[in-house]
Amino acid sequence: MGIDIFVYIRPIFITMIILLLLLFLVILIQHKLLTTFSVLAFAISFIILANVTLYMSGEIVDELNLPRDLNDFYYVIAIVVLSFINVVVFQYKKRKEDKIFY
């Protein structure tokens, strides 16, 4: 018998990272479809959701006496960084577009 590690939350983190990468691609390709509010709402929502999920997985691991998956923390850090990058890139593209006069 091997040591069971609690990895059932990993697909949620990976899905959030994929969605943030898709949002990044939309910002790069068609940023006119988005507003500042929508990008900020996505970023804040994903950060809150990732932190709550990390906390709840810690509670589950503690109750079940299982070893923790150490990658969960790195996934949360990646989600925070991607959210920040999405907001910064969106603001940069928006300002760059506003400076061009037709």
Side-chain angles (χ1 to χ4, degrees):
M1 246 192 201
I3 298 175
D4 292 331
I5 297 175
F6 188 76
V7 294
Y8 301 111
I9 303 294
R10 186 181 291 180
I12 295 171
F13 288 124
I14 293 172
T15 302
M16 284 191 275
I17 290 172
I18 290 170
L19 289 174
L20 283 170
L21 288 172
L22 287 174
L23 178 63
F24 183 71
L25 289 175
V26 169
I27 290 171
L28 288 178
I29 296 169
Q30 286 289 334
H31 71 281
K32 294 178 183 179
L33 297 175
L34 302 169
T35 63
T36 304
F37 176 76
S38 64
V39 173
L40 282 173
F42 278 120
I44 292 170
S45 299
F46 277 116
I47 290 171
I48 291 171
L49 183 63
N51 284 311
V52 168
T53 306
L54 181 68
Y55 175 76
M56 292 310 296
S57 69
E59 291 291 326
I60 293 169
V61 165
D62 188 42
E63 290 296 322
L64 296 177
N65 292 326
L66 292 174
R68 183 166 182 90
D69 183 20
L70 299 176
N71 292 332
D72 288 350
F73 178 72
Y74 298 117
Y75 291 142
V76 172
I77 295 297
I79 290 168
V80 170
V81 168
L82 282 172
S83 297
F84 180 73
I85 288 172
N86 282 341
V87 172
V88 169
V89 169
F90 180 77
Q91 288 299 324
Y92 175 74
K93 287 194 69 109
K94 186 176 176 184
R95 284 189 183 156
K96 186 178 176 184
E97 179 184 277
D98 290 341
K99 288 183 180 180
I100 298 174
F101 297 106
Y102 292 104

